[in-house]
Amino acid sequence: MGTTSVDERIKDYMHTLGLDFSRPLICCLLVSKDFIGREKEQNNIIEVLGNEKGCIVWNCRNDIGVLYQGGNAEHATVESSMMFAHALLEKIYQYDSQLKLVLGISNVQTGLNSVRKTYWQGWSATVAAQCQGKEDGIFHYKDLGILQLLVKNIGNEGAKEFVKEQIGTLIRYDEEKGTNLVTTLEEILQHSNLKKTAEKMFLHPKTVVFRKQRIEKILGVSLDSFETRLALGVALKLHLVNQVIKVHN
C-alpha cells in the first residue's frame, strides 16, 4: 500500500523472488466471500496458481494477490492482461467451479513504484466491482471512470465532510425511520426519468414521485438541477466505497 520505501534491501529481496522492476508488471487481486474463514481453501488455490509461469502469488488477508511479469514490453497490453486474468480464473474454476470470485486487474506499470501502483489499482478495481453489487467477474482499473478518483480519497477528511454535507441527513433519516431513500436517490440519479426508475425498482410511478419529493425536502435541494445531481452522485459513490471497505475490513 506504499508504506514501505523501495531501497536496495527491498530491491535485492524482490530480485530473489524473480521480480525485475525494469520489466512490465501487473497485479491481479482475487476477492471472494468464500475465502472468509476458509484459509485452507484459500491456500489450496494459492498453490494451484503458484505454478503459473511469471507469477508471484500470496495470501493477502482474505484475498489472494498475484503479481505477473510473464510477458515482454511489446505484448504488455490491456488485452494481454485480460487474457492472463481469464486464464487465472479458468485454473481456479478447474479446481472449484462453485467459487464466486471478483478479479481486479491493474494497468501495466514499470519502475520502483510498480508494485505499489499495480496493487492499489487491482484493489481499487475490486472495490468498484463490489460497489456495483458484483460477486464475480473480471474488472479492469481502466474501466473505473470517476471511481479511480474517488477511491484515492478514502479516509480523506474532506471527502468524509463532503458526504456528510451532501447526503448525511438522508442517511440519518433512513437509519432512524427504517426507509431506503438513499437507494431510491441512487436509482433516480441513474435514470433519465422517474418512469424508468419506477420500473427498475418495481414501484408505481406515483410512489417514486412521492419519494423524490421527500428526498428533496430532507436534503433541501431540487433533483432537477444538473449541478445538484452531479454533487449527490459523487457523494453517493464515496458513501458506497466507504461501506464496501468497512465490510471488507
Side-chain angles (χ1 to χ4, degrees), residues 65-88:
V66 181
L67 293 176
Y68 176 62
Q69 211 167 38
N72 54 43
E74 294 107 45
H75 298 120
T77 62
V78 171
E79 290 75 17
S80 65
S81 299
M82 293 296 284
M83 286 175 64
F84 170 72
H86 280 289
L88 279 187

Side-chain angles (χ1 to χ4, degrees), residues 181 184 198 202-213:
L181 293 181
T184 303
F202 303 104
L203 294 171
H204 192 282
K206 287 185 178 179
T207 302
V208 176
V209 170
F210 172 77
R211 289 189 183 184
K212 175 178 178 283
Q213 292 169 345

Side-chain angles (χ1 to χ4, degrees), residues 180-181 183-216 223-224 229:
N180 62 344
L181 293 181
T183 302
T184 303
L185 174 60
E186 186 181 5
E187 292 294 340
I188 288 172
L189 295 179
Q190 286 180 357
H191 297 94
S192 57
N193 58 60
L194 295 183
K195 184 179 178 182
K196 288 186 178 179
T197 303
E199 289 172 359
K200 179 71 186 298
M201 299 188 74
F202 303 104
L203 294 171
H204 192 282
K206 287 185 178 179
T207 302
V208 176
V209 170
F210 172 77
R211 289 189 183 184
K212 175 178 178 283
Q213 292 169 345
R214 176 63 59 86
I215 291 167
E216 289 176 325
L223 294 182
D224 298 325
R229 292 173 72 92

Side-chain angles (χ1 to χ4, degrees), residues 100-196:
K100 284 191 173 182
L101 283 163
V102 167
L103 191 156
I105 186 165
S106 72
N107 287 330
V108 177
Q109 301 286 347
T110 56
L112 294 179
N113 291 319
S114 57
V115 174
R116 175 182 62 81
K117 286 181 180 178
T118 56
Y119 174 79
W120 175 261
Q121 290 178 355
W123 177 81
S124 298
T126 66
V127 170
Q130 292 170 86
C131 283
Q132 299 169 51
K134 308 292 186 183
E135 291 188 354
D136 58 5
I138 298 172
F139 302 87
H140 200 290
Y141 179 75
K142 73 174 180 62
D143 297 322
L144 263 60
I146 196 172
L147 281 170
Q148 285 188 11
L149 177 64
L150 300 186
V151 172
K152 288 179 182 177
N153 284 285
I154 293 306
N156 181 295
E157 284 303 317
K160 289 180 183 177
E161 192 62 29
F162 182 76
V163 173
K164 183 179 177 181
E165 287 177 359
Q166 294 295 325
I167 58 172
T169 52
L170 195 64
I171 293 169
R172 287 196 300 275
Y173 186 92
D174 274 354
E175 290 171 350
E176 293 169 3
K177 305 292 185 180
T179 53
N180 62 344
L181 293 181
V182 170
T183 302
T184 303
L185 174 60
E186 186 181 5
E187 292 294 340
I188 288 172
L189 295 179
Q190 286 180 357
H191 297 94
S192 57
N193 58 60
L194 295 183
K195 184 179 178 182
K196 288 186 178 179

